[in-house]
Amino acid sequence: MNYKIVSILLALFLAMGSTVFQREAVAVQAPTEHELALLDLINQARANPRSAMTGIGLDPDFVAQNIPVLAGVLDAGMEPLAFHPQLYAAARKHTMGMFEYSQVGSILPDGLSPKERAKEEGYPAIEAGVSASGVLFQNFIAPESVLQSIFRSMLLDELNPGAQKDLVLLNPALNETGITLIPGEIVLAGQTRKGYLSSCLAGYSLGEEIADQLFEMINMVRDRPEFFLREAGLEHVLAEEDSPGSSVSDFQRLPPLARDQRLASAGLIHVFDIEEYLYYGPVSPGGQDPLSRVSMFGFEATGAVSPLAFAEIREGMSAGDYMFELFEQLVDQEISSPDGPGHILSDWFSEIGLGIGVITLETAPGTWTSYMLLSAHLARPASPRLFVVGGVYRSKMDESGKEYWDGLAGLRIELVELTGDVLASSITGRNGLYQIPLISGMNKINLYDKGQAIASKALVMPQKNTFINFILRDIYLDVD
């Protein structure tokens, strides 16, 4: 069993708590209730872009003609934006900069791009964008009164024909955000005005790329434990001498975990709380546990856990390399538990969020080391709900002739009644993954490419989440 790496980091945290070593302070701030309400408005628009556009007086089909990337998601929607503490810090600095420069916009006189501003806060952005707006007033206005105005202004700003602005709120490629709503004074035309200014800084990071791959791996192992662990080269897990009767080969096939961004946000708060207060465990020094963290983001659960794993950041490491290190630690924790599987290989939990962030610690005087730290929050919702979870892949061969699957983005998935009525739909993400809520009855899952149905699978309403992969080959299609 490989516990050395976990023991080293735990010892490091304990040692740093009793030494004079310094580290860069990262204040972990939670969003206000009004900022979360504004984020909820944005996520409602991402869930149903057509309705959101109609609600602000725009013709959705005309907008999609001008912004082609929206054509495929008008009705299917896109995944919600998850709160990210580093993007929140970046958004706050952007908003305070708007007050300082008396200017509302995505680029301020300091010249920092959204990606640069995110990276300044330690967020390893692959893509990033910012949307900004504000409301001025003479007499005091309560913050809840300006939410709709700010949301509408941001959405119109990026969708109006001829605006030529980057998509942020409705950008399918972005999935994390920090959003602010800050009162203050701004000078316009020589006059000081009071108002609320808001910034939504959204991004996609290396951490999210790792999270996508890790989520995919976890569900594949739950579906076929022995096969996929052997494929991953983790044969040692299949026959642990020190854990008789608890090896993965003894486990039954498990339903997939569904993904929830609120759980991912709870995980990210946990990651940066660990960096702030130097501990390594599920419960913070202030007593915040997994259940209270998920509740903070509106996820009502009857139980929650938050296993941890980490990987040192090294040059030349890919998202897949980091994913494998994190995954191996999670599996080792499951196999070594005297009580049996308690998180990713447990049948009790049905939903998961993967919070992965970069933390930097002073590991010796003058020596700083950065880590990818994972806090995986698994929960059982208080009100049960079911999902179809899976991926759409193109089957390919590597140089050695071994088959591998390449995720296909942008394909439409529909849950359809036998009468033909569409109950729910989704678009595959950048790694080919999809998730659709299950609605009772005799249904089928249809896969579309460029408007043409290319596969279908009958689905009798199950009692648990269901795992369905579509594997595309040159001349035929398999449904797994």
Side-chain angles (χ1 to χ4, degrees):
M1 184 62 58
N2 179 15
Y3 299 111
K4 185 177 180 182
I5 186 169
V6 177
S7 299
I8 290 173
L9 187 62
L10 180 55
L12 175 63
F13 275 111
L14 292 174
M16 291 179 68
S18 60
T19 68
V20 295
F21 293 167
Q22 299 295 310
R23 60 189 173 79
E24 298 174 351
V26 181
V28 180
Q29 282 189 291
T32 68
E33 61 174 313
H34 300 111
E35 289 165 340
L36 286 176
L38 186 53
L39 176 58
D40 186 56
L41 289 174
I42 293 169
N43 281 335
Q44 288 178 36
R46 289 174 68 89
N48 192 339
R50 181 180 292 279
S51 175
M53 293 178 199
T54 302
I56 60 173
L58 297 179
D59 179 346
D61 296 305
F62 180 74
V63 171
Q65 289 176 9
N66 288 277
I67 310 175
V69 71
L70 293 176
V73 297
L74 276 181
D75 299 303
M78 62 197 82
E79 65 178 309
L81 294 174
F83 171 81
H84 195 288
Q86 289 171 321
L87 291 178
Y88 185 57
R92 285 189 66 84
K93 285 189 176 180
H94 185 87
T95 304
M96 297 310 294
M98 292 195 297
F99 280 115
E100 179 184 352
Y101 296 115
S102 295
Q103 179 178 322
V104 177
S106 57
I107 302 295
L108 300 178
D110 62 13
L112 290 178
S113 69
K115 185 184 291 189
E116 290 168 337
R117 202 174 295 281
K119 287 185 173 180
E120 270 199 344
E121 300 303 318
Y123 182 84
I126 296 173
E127 296 181 41
V130 66
S131 182
S133 184
V135 171
L136 302 180
F137 57 84
Q138 289 184 334
N139 299 314
F140 176 76
I141 299 177
E144 58 269 21
S145 302
V146 303
L147 298 181
Q148 282 286 349
S149 296
I150 286 177
F151 164 69
R152 290 173 59 89
S153 173
M154 285 182 173
L155 198 57
L156 280 168
D157 199 36
E158 67 180 51
L159 296 181
N160 262 332
Q164 296 184 338
K165 292 192 175 182
D166 294 336
L167 284 178
V168 179
L169 274 58
L170 295 186
N171 188 337
L174 306 179
N175 63 357
E176 297 178 305
T177 192
I179 187 162
T180 61
L181 182 68
I182 300 176
E185 294 183 343
I186 186 170
V187 179
L188 296 175
Q191 292 187 337
T192 300
R193 303 286 300 276
K194 295 179 180 180
Y196 291 96
L197 297 186
S198 177
S199 301
C200 175
L201 204 158
Y204 183 86
S205 70
L206 178 60
E208 274 301 291
E209 181 68 23
I210 298 168
D212 284 348
Q213 294 186 25
L214 182 57
F215 174 72
E216 184 177 28
M217 175 64 87
I218 288 170
N219 273 340
M220 285 185 172
V221 169
R222 286 173 66 90
D223 187 55
R224 299 180 185 178
E226 187 167 353
F227 174 79
F228 279 106
L229 284 172
R230 291 192 188 281
E231 286 290 299
L234 297 179
E235 291 89 348
H236 72 278
V237 170
L238 296 171
E240 292 292 339
E241 295 180 359
D242 56 347
S243 301
S246 65
S247 70
V248 173
S249 55
D250 293 330
F251 298 161
Q252 298 297 313
R253 189 173 184 174
L254 299 172
L257 294 167
R259 205 168 179 182
D260 192 286
Q261 289 289 16
R262 294 169 297 177
L263 299 180
S265 296
L268 286 165
I269 282 286
H270 189 204
V271 165
F272 296 110
D273 191 61
I274 286 173
E275 183 182 30
E276 175 75 6
Y277 297 106
L278 295 177
Y279 67 97
Y280 193 74
V283 182
S284 74
Q288 190 175 58
D289 61 12
L291 195 58
S292 62
R293 277 192 293 270
V294 304
S295 298
M296 181 171 66
F297 287 95
F299 191 103
E300 296 184 8
T302 57
V305 294
S306 56
L308 296 167
F310 72 96
E312 182 180 338
I313 293 178
R314 304 185 294 278
E315 190 171 348
M317 291 278 283
S318 68
D321 295 330
Y322 289 119
M323 181 278 293
F324 185 80
E325 284 195 25
L326 299 173
F327 174 72
E328 184 175 13
Q329 290 176 46
L330 292 178
V331 172
D332 278 350
Q333 292 171 31
E334 289 283 62
I335 298 305
S336 65
S337 171
D339 300 321
H343 46 80
I344 64 168
L345 295 178
S346 167
D347 191 29
W348 196 77
F349 297 107
S350 59
E351 300 190 31
I352 188 171
L354 299 168
I356 301 177
V358 176
I359 68 170
T360 301
L361 303 172
E362 190 177 31
T363 52
T367 301
W368 297 82
T369 305
S370 294
Y371 299 91
M372 284 287 180
L373 181 59
L374 161 72
S375 173
H377 275 59
L378 293 93
R380 184 184 182 98
S383 299
R385 51 188 190 162
L386 300 177
F387 296 88
V388 179
V389 179
V392 180
Y393 305 93
R394 171 72 66 185
S395 173
K396 294 185 177 181
M397 295 290 179
D398 62 19
E399 294 180 355
S400 67
K402 186 177 180 179
E403 182 185 27
Y404 70 96
W405 299 347
D406 188 25
L408 297 176
L411 298 184
R412 185 178 179 84
I413 303 277
E414 289 184 349
L415 178 67
V416 182
E417 280 189 309
L418 296 184
T419 59
D421 293 336
V422 178
L423 301 175
S425 61
S426 180
I427 299 292
T428 57
R430 66 174 69 212
N431 290 304
L433 304 181
Y434 76 91
Q435 180 171 303
I436 294 182
L438 268 172
I439 300 172
S440 61
M442 290 286 294
N443 305 314
K444 59 182 178 178
I445 296 287
N446 291 342
L447 172 65
Y448 295 86
D449 182 18
K450 299 176 182 176
Q452 298 295 316
I454 57 176
S456 182
K457 182 175 177 62
L459 182 67
V460 178
M461 184 65 181
Q463 300 303 308
K464 296 184 177 181
N465 293 339
T466 298
F467 195 48
I468 297 178
N469 281 337
F470 294 91
I471 315 300
L472 292 163
R473 294 180 169 86
D474 290 338
I475 58 174
Y476 64 93
L477 181 142
D478 288 347
V479 178
D480 183 24

